[in-house]
């Protein structure tokens, strides 16, 4: 098993420089439950380098309250140094820890060439592609009342259509390797009347872009109360041969490799025997279970 989606810092926490000890603790916790390799995938928007590139992307949001909310959210998060983060993970790799260097990258419409140019300067193994906001609406920020109130104002089917379109656009840019939490729009518990059309479009986006898709336990910790993706969407990915990663999306040590056995069970049901690992952004297939059972 893999845990290919890990954050060092909880949202809202002021970032401290990452340490080798933190990375080692993540690896050890993963290994203790049979997860052989992890990817650290901090949010791009936590770094000052992203701030310089992307600050103000919310300027054309017509809703003043959402615009101000995104500006405040951004200011709260964009403090860390990308060079320090990369150096820390590389030193962990050099020390022999089973970790690869990743990043979670949001979709910034019209700016992904600039994002790709920034990221090309670093030796990333894997880039996760995510949509956490529609325009500037943080539809999955369940702790934020302003964001959650939008679910009462907007049409749920339209929100899902917008979400799916953003994923399609992100995939088409070719910037990232893995579609993170593919049906994240359900995080707060809101689902479209007929999800099949969105599911088919999400699968098509992965197939045509060559991206892998992530199977994540994080949805179980949210009102959605199921893994990302939903079982019928996971089955569609598997049926089309989309490579899969497994992930916890932990933002703290306690959640590292969360419910990895439950993820393995979902893969077993679909007879998926391999996962997609990455080295220098090239996919490598690994068996779902590589550990020899003990006596
Ligand atoms: Zn995410
Ligand atoms: Zn994440």
């Amino acid at each position: 098993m893999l845990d290919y989606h890990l954050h060092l810092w909880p949202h809202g926490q002021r970032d401290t420089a990452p340490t080798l000890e933190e990375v080692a603790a993540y690896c050890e916790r993963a290994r203790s439950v049979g997860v052989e390799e992890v990817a650290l995938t901090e949010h791009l928007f936590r770094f000052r380098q992203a701030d310089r590139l992307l600050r103000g992307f919310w300027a054309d949001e017509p809703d003043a309250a959402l615009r101000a909310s995104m500006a405040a959210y951004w200011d709260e998060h964009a403090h860390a140094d990308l060079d320090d983060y990369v150096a820390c993970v590389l030193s962990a790799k050099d020390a022999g820890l089973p970790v690869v260097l990743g990043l979670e990258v949001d979709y910034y419409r019209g700016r992904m060439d600039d994002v790709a140019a920034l990221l090309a300067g670093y030796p990333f193994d894997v880039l996760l592609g995510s949509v956490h906001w529609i325009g500037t609406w943080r539809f999955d920020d369940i702790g934020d009342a302003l964001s959650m109130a939008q679910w009462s104002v907007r049409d749920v089917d339209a929100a899902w259509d917008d979400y799916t379109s953003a994923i399609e656009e992100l995939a088409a840019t070719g910037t990232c390797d893995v579609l993170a939490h593919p049906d994240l729009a359900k995080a707060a518990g809101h689902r479209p009347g007929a999800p099949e059309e969105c599911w088919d479009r999400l699968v098509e986006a992965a197939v045509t872009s060559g991206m892998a898709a992530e199977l994540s336990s994080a949805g179980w910790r949210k009102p959605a109360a199921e893994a990302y993706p939903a079982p019928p969407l996971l089955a569609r990915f598997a049926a089309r041969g989309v490579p899969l990663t497994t992930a916890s999306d932990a933002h703290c040590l306690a959640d590292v490799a969360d419910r990895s056995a439950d993820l393995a069970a979902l893969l077993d049901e679909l007879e998926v025997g391999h996962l997609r690992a990455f080295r220098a952004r090239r996919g490598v297939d690994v068996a779902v279970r590589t550990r020899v059972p003990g006596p």
Side-chain angles (χ1 to χ4, degrees):
M1 291 288 283
L2 306 170
D3 191 344
Y4 255 44
H5 191 151
L6 291 168
H7 300 275
L8 291 166
W9 308 300
H11 288 286
Q13 178 176 309
R14 300 286 288 202
D15 323 316
T16 51
T19 65
L20 191 57
E21 290 70 30
E22 281 178 286
V23 180
Y26 271 39
C27 292
E28 182 48 41
R29 184 167 187 98
R31 212 168 352 208
S32 73
V33 291
V35 171
E36 297 90 4
E37 182 172 290
V38 307
L40 282 188
T41 57
E42 197 46 80
H43 293 287
L44 172 62
F45 63 75
R46 303 217 63 151
F47 297 103
R48 294 193 293 272
Q49 286 85 349
D51 184 42
R52 289 198 283 272
L53 192 66
L54 298 163
R55 166 167 288 279
F57 80 88
W58 51 83
D60 53 2
E61 166 64 55
D63 184 317
L66 286 179
R67 197 168 61 238
S69 176
M70 179 53 87
Y73 184 82
W74 190 268
D75 284 342
E76 189 183 320
H77 283 87
H79 302 288
D81 184 73
L82 185 56
D83 296 318
D84 287 350
Y85 166 79
V86 168
C88 176
V89 179
L90 292 182
S91 71
K93 286 176 71 168
D94 286 347
L97 292 172
V99 60
V100 299
L101 175 63
L103 203 66
E104 181 173 13
V105 182
D106 272 280
Y107 177 48
Y108 301 92
R109 184 174 281 139
R111 296 173 181 239
M112 296 311 285
D113 285 348
D114 293 338
V115 169
L118 168 67
L119 301 183
Y122 297 90
F124 286 110
D125 291 301
V126 62
L127 297 175
L128 308 184
S130 297
V131 171
H132 296 105
W133 45 69
I134 293 169
T136 65
W137 170 37
R138 301 194 308 280
F139 59 82
D140 76 323
D141 193 352
I142 56 175
D144 181 63
L146 179 78
S147 298
M148 290 303 97
Q150 287 286 307
W151 278 110
S152 312
V153 177
R154 303 192 187 211
D155 178 77
V156 171
D157 287 345
W160 271 83
D161 183 50
D162 290 343
Y163 169 80
T164 306
S165 296
I167 290 283
E168 289 170 334
E169 291 173 27
L170 170 62
T173 69
T175 312
C176 299
D177 309 306
V178 182
L179 200 48
H181 35 59
D183 54 352
L184 182 68
K186 74 184 177 190
H190 305 280
R191 291 174 167 86
E196 295 81 4
E197 187 204 325
C198 292
W199 290 340
D200 289 341
R201 288 168 60 194
L202 292 168
V203 172
E204 202 59 37
V207 169
T208 55
S209 66
M211 291 175 80
E214 173 187 277
L215 171 58
S216 167
S217 62
W220 275 309
R221 306 195 298 273
K222 296 289 169 60
E226 65 178 10
Y228 307 113
L233 176 53
L234 180 64
R236 281 166 164 78
F237 281 126
R240 293 291 299 279
V242 174
L244 298 168
T245 67
T246 46
S248 69
D249 204 352
H251 285 67
C252 62
L253 178 62
D255 286 336
V256 171
D258 183 39
R259 298 187 69 157
S260 57
D262 293 325
L263 297 180
L266 290 174
L267 295 170
D268 285 347
E269 280 174 31
L270 295 170
E271 299 182 354
V272 174
H274 288 84
L275 295 172
R276 176 61 52 92
F278 286 87
R279 300 282 181 274
R281 305 200 53 205
R282 285 175 185 271
V284 185
D285 282 341
V286 296
V288 170
R289 290 182 184 78
T290 56
R291 238 177 33 160
V292 178

